[in-house]
């Protein structure tokens, strides 16, 4: 792909789906479940794709991808990102990068990895509509120790962890739709618009 390093992708699927009232992974949109849709959009863009299911070793076990588990107790998506970075570094070395996407963004763009692959050393977040999306980003495996140190001192917010390495954003247009629209509630799922 010409990015100069191994790009690992990680689908973050470790949430509890409490507000949705059922497991978001199996919601169907345009003929695919959300987990299938995330995989089909991201897998062609990366060298290796993994699946983060939090600490739950049984959930989504039918999916044939490397499974990345949080250390228990799991404390939000930062745990999945750190576990993914450790996996990327062990498999791809210090120069590897990890691109993370959440399971609940059905319109993840097909140019995501290309646009997040700049010459920056730090963290690169996607943004749209005037706000950045901390769960959609590119992380350098070389920063793992710095991030773990902040995490072990109690930092759980993804933005604040990323500040340890410095972060920038890459913007996407929201016309005809926001590519990072995410679904947390039945109402948000019902409001999904078809892919143009």
């Amino acid at each position: 792909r010409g990015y100069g390093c191994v790009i690992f992708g990680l689908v973050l699927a470790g949430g509890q789906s409490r507000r949705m009232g059922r497991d978001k992974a199996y919601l169907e949109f345009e003929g695919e479940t959300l987990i299938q849709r995330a995989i089909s959009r991201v897998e062609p863009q990366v060298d290796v794709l993994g699946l983060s299911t939090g600490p739950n070793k049984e959930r989504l076990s039918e999916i044939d991808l490397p499974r990345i588990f949080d250390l228990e107790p799991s404390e939000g998506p930062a745990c999945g990102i750190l576990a993914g970075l450790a996996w990327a570094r062990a498999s791809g070395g210090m120069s590897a990068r990890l691109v993370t996407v959440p399971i609940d963004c059905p319109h993840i763009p097909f140019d995501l990895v290309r646009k997040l692959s700049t010459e920056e050393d730090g963290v690169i977040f996607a943004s749209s509509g005037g706000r950045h999306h901390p769960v959609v980003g590119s992380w350098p495996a070389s920063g793992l120790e710095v991030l773990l140190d902040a995490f072990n001192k109690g930092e759980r917010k993804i933005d604040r962890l990323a500040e340890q390495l410095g972060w920038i954003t890459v913007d996407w247009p929201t016309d005809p739709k926001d590519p990072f629209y995410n679904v947390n509630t039945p109402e948000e799922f019902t409001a999904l618009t078809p892919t143009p």
Side-chain angles (χ1 to χ4, degrees):
R1 291 181 179 81
Y3 298 136
C5 64
V6 182
I7 304 283
F8 290 79
L10 188 67
V11 178
L12 298 168
Q16 303 297 309
S17 299
R18 286 191 190 94
R19 284 182 284 169
M20 185 63 71
R22 53 180 288 208
D23 193 333
K24 285 191 276 193
Y26 299 109
L27 292 174
E28 286 209 13
F29 178 63
E30 296 189 335
E32 291 180 298
T33 61
L34 292 191
I35 182 64
Q36 290 168 334
R37 194 172 172 92
I39 291 168
S40 66
R41 286 182 164 247
V42 178
E43 195 166 37
Q45 302 186 52
V46 298
D47 297 303
V48 188
L49 184 64
L51 179 64
S52 167
T53 56
N56 189 333
K57 293 182 168 53
E58 305 303 318
R59 190 161 161 270
L60 299 172
S61 57
E62 74 279 7
I63 303 293
D64 185 23
L65 286 175
R67 317 267 315 289
I68 315 302
F69 303 113
D70 296 0
L71 299 175
E72 294 188 66
S74 179
E75 299 180 49
C79 294
I81 292 170
L82 290 172
L85 266 178
W87 163 65
R89 178 129 127 209
S91 305
M94 289 285 279
S95 66
R97 289 193 75 94
L98 179 75
V99 174
T100 60
V101 299
I103 196 173
D104 57 6
C105 281
H107 301 308
I108 285 291
F110 291 105
D111 62 354
L112 180 73
V113 173
R114 181 179 63 77
K115 286 185 69 170
L116 292 182
S117 296
T118 73
E119 296 301 309
E120 285 295 315
D121 293 328
V123 180
I124 310 161
F125 290 134
S127 69
S128 61
R131 63 191 189 95
H132 68 286
H133 307 285
V135 289
V136 184
S138 174
W139 299 75
S142 59
L144 180 60
E145 283 84 6
V146 172
L147 297 170
L148 281 173
D149 183 58
F151 184 85
N152 290 333
K153 288 175 179 171
E155 188 52 70
R156 298 294 180 267
K157 279 184 64 72
I158 298 173
D159 310 59
R160 298 283 294 278
L161 285 171
E163 279 174 15
Q164 314 301 312
L165 303 175
W167 59 270
I168 63 166
T169 61
V170 176
D171 195 53
W172 269 261
T174 55
D175 185 28
K177 63 164 51 74
D178 187 340
F180 305 110
Y181 177 87
N182 70 310
V183 292
N184 290 304
T185 65
E187 293 76 22
E188 287 170 345
F189 183 68
T190 301
L192 269 175
T193 53
T195 303

